[in-house]
Amino acid sequence: MTTTSPSPTIAELIAQERRLTLPRFSYDDAFALGSLLVELARERHAPVAIDIRRGAQQLFHAALPGSSADNDAWIDRKRKVVERYGESSYLVGTRFRAKGTTFEESSRLDPDTYAAHGGSFPIAVEGAGVIGTVTVSGLPQAEDHAMVVEALEHFTATPGL
């Protein structure tokens, strides 16, 4: 994760989502993915909150030192964008920016309820589509997104998944 790398393109963000589709996603998988995110965040002293949901059920939540209730509110707003659009919150925001506007200006959705900022990623399962979300909040949006992608890449490389 570096802050100096350019923002990913729409094509790169779409490719991430396709590449990170899972064969399955269980309660144990949610715990393993959440624990991996906690480990990454602790290694970096990242002041983040982490949330994993399947449908309406919260399967994992952790708040690390330096995070606050504001991060939980950001998680909810970013997660709602994924639930509505079926794409990462960063991709949705990037699509609006590519059109020369912003999500807040053009989506016609309440910004107190929805935030198209990086950090929430769809959990997609082969043959089922999007079944949940994994969200990080507490870093700049590109870094929140990159942390989730990095964890999913490690997770999908785990033998037995």
Side-chain angles (χ1 to χ4, degrees), residues 116-148:
H117 293 260
S120 192
F121 200 91
I123 297 172
V125 173
E126 294 169 8
V130 176
I131 58 98
T133 57
V134 53
T135 310
V136 168
S137 176
L139 303 171
Q141 68 171 329
E143 293 179 39
D144 280 347
H145 178 84
M147 183 177 282
V148 172

Side-chain angles (χ1 to χ4, degrees), residues 50-127:
I50 299 159
D51 181 83
I52 299 175
R53 292 180 184 252
R54 185 172 63 196
Q57 186 179 19
Q58 184 178 52
L59 302 182
F60 186 94
H61 185 86
L64 277 71
S67 66
S68 71
D70 285 343
N71 298 116
D72 292 332
W74 274 99
I75 283 171
D76 287 341
R77 293 169 56 221
K78 292 191 279 188
R79 174 181 47 82
K80 287 180 180 175
V81 167
V82 176
E83 291 169 351
R84 185 173 184 109
Y85 289 85
E87 298 177 322
S88 76
S89 55
Y90 200 36
L91 174 56
V92 173
T94 300
R95 285 186 193 279
F96 278 91
R97 287 186 296 279
K99 293 176 185 173
T101 187
T102 66
F103 178 82
E104 293 78 12
E105 292 170 349
S106 299
S107 71
R108 302 181 69 166
L109 296 172
D110 182 355
D112 290 335
T113 304
Y114 297 90
H117 293 260
S120 192
F121 200 91
I123 297 172
V125 173
E126 294 169 8

